Amino acid sequence: MAIEGFKCELKEIKPIKVWIDEEDPIQCRPCLISPLASHYAGALETAKAEPQLAALQKAWDSKDVLTIAETLDKIKEEVGEDLKNELLTLDCFTESFKPEEVAEKQQQKS
């Protein structure tokens, strides 16, 4: 699952747990865990990675952001290289998200 028009330009993709722990005055990083986990679930389902999908569901059921973040990081260690690269692209997309750019684009459409 490629993200159309997206190319990761980050020098370093951080583990999600590390990234989520860092304070950001512009965006709510924990707020981005839900869409990221949802995209992970889609990728895992497509790849038929049932054990990892079950682990993600269990983490999601905990409703603890750090548990979910740790599970996302662990999943990347357990899957094959192609799926891992796909998940890293999702991480990069999330870590490079700029809410002000989205707001700006929405204003331009109005």
Side-chain angles (χ1 to χ4, degrees), residues 17-37:
K17 184 173 183 321
V18 170
W19 178 78
I20 207 107
D21 278 340
E22 295 174 348
E23 198 151 323
D24 188 328
I26 297 172
Q27 69 182 352
C28 169
R29 289 183 174 183
C31 297
L32 296 174
I33 287 294
S34 177
L36 178 60

Side-chain angles (χ1 to χ4, degrees), residues 41-92:
L44 294 170
E45 195 172 305
T46 299
K48 301 191 181 342
E50 298 298 326
Q52 289 78 18
L53 191 55
L56 179 56
Q57 183 62 54
K58 183 177 179 185
W60 184 258
D61 290 345
S62 77
K63 296 182 171 94
D64 179 67
V65 173
L66 292 178
T67 300
I68 297 167
E70 288 171 345
T71 302
L72 296 177
D73 290 332
K74 186 174 183 226
I75 286 170
K76 287 187 293 280
E77 296 171 10
E78 298 174 350
V79 297
E81 203 61 32
D82 288 343
L83 182 54
K84 179 180 179 177
N85 288 332
E86 185 176 337
L87 299 176
L88 285 169
T89 299
L90 293 172
D91 290 358
C92 182

